[in-house]
Amino acid sequence: MHTTVGIVGGGPAGLLLARLLHLAGIDSVVLENRTRAYVEQRQRAGILEQTTVETLRAAGAGERMDREGLVHHGIDLRFDGRSHRIGFPELTGGRSVVLYAQTEVVKDLVALHLAEGGPLLFEAEAHAVDGADTDRPAVRYTHQGREQTLTCDYVVGCDGFHGVVRNAIPEHLRRTYERTYPYSWLGVLADAPPVHDELVYAHSGRGFALASMRSPVVSRCYLQVPDATHLDDWPDGRIWDELDARLAADGSRPLHRGPITARSVLPMRSHVTEPMHWGRVFLAGDAAHIVPPTGAKGLNLAVADVLVLARALTERYATGSAELLDAYSATCLKRVWRAEHFSWFMTTTLHSEVGQSPFDTRLQLSQLDRIATSPHAAAELAHNYVGLPVGLPGESPSR
Ligand code: FAD
Ligand code: DHB
């Protein structure tokens, strides 16, 4: 089989890229190694930056998001027994975020692509990319038990952190930057109304907690836990008690409790692979970079990469110019490193390490107090949270 753009991975990055290329009249084939049911129910991110929302709308994938998504104009920061609201529109020139789960974004994009787009093969596992530096790169993959080859003009690795396309960039040219954190998140989904109408991020002596939601009747909550935590050690009662203890602040009320319907432990990691482009191979989303989830940047970074790449491929086929393609890696990495910094900052400011010194705790509390009391510090957080410019030609750099 031959296609113009071979896309490995049918997560948000791969599906959105295929959709944007389809709208630009560029053929693609998406290879996804899991089943459709699996990718549609994999619990992950929840917060969409305004640019992500606008991109999904422009891609024709915004109808259900506009109906069911919850617009959030701020977050609550809790620390030292106090609660402070950071309002976004007043600090960012009118911007805000939308809570709409990654599972729903993926369902919407899969349905659209199967109805209108090119081939989207599930249970198709890519093994390697050959000829990345030639003008006819090829993806070797297995589908329905048969080894096959997809030749392409370009190959895009949207295959996540454990993907294989990254290996097409020669090892001596690839640089990786990484940081791990000495804690994980226990994430739960519960049939219980959210405790608050906006997200609550809590620093506490017992560790970090986050109260999010999926709908007015479904809560999504996270607790900082030690690495290698066993789910068996966390029966429902212990989870609710711990969330209540960590989220408590002056005037707050206990969480609404209900049946916990899903739970998992998520490790925390920062990782960047550079460059994000070599020869005819490009990397987008988690295939190129991972952030710890505090601050909800992962999915939004994937969308921003894909916007830049779709624009560059569109220009390449419309005018013959590869200028934007050649700039892809540098354009994306500028924003990626900003999001890496923000995610690291949110993580290290809100979590407590085992044996953390009282000095380090005072520094965290001082920084949180600065955000709560200085409009400048709050604005810096708000701008990063609602999303920085993507780096498209002609975009205003002033935000
Ligand atoms: P992915 O969603 O990982 O998609 C990659 C796709 O490629 C997958 O469908 C995979 O099956 C497929 N694939 C992999 N290898 C191959 C292969 N060899 N051949 C074919 N297909 C392949 N972000 C937040 O902001 N908030 C959160 O709460 C949050 N929670 C998360 C929880 C978990 C467990 C993880 C892993 C991530 C979480 N993230 C979160 C990050 C966010 O979900 C990701 O940044 C986002 O999914 C990135 O999209 P992507 O398309 O780049 O990668
Ligand atoms: C969610 C996850 C995050 O990491 C975050 O910072 C905010 C919300 C969520 O899953 O809802």
Side-chain angles (χ1 to χ4, degrees), residues 9 12-13 32-34 42 44-45 102 126 158-159 222 285-286 296 298:
E32 165 56 50
N33 67 352
R34 301 291 195 153
R42 191 166 38 192
R44 288 187 171 178
Q102 181 168 330
C158 297
D159 47 350
Y222 300 94
D286 279 17

Side-chain angles (χ1 to χ4, degrees), residues 184-186 224-234 238 265:
S184 300
W185 275 12
L186 170 62
Q224 174 189 344
V225 290
D227 289 337
T229 286
H230 291 289
L231 291 173
D232 297 346
D233 295 336
W234 285 89
R238 182 176 178 203
V265 174

Side-chain angles (χ1 to χ4, degrees), residues 97 270 275:
V97 296
S270 303

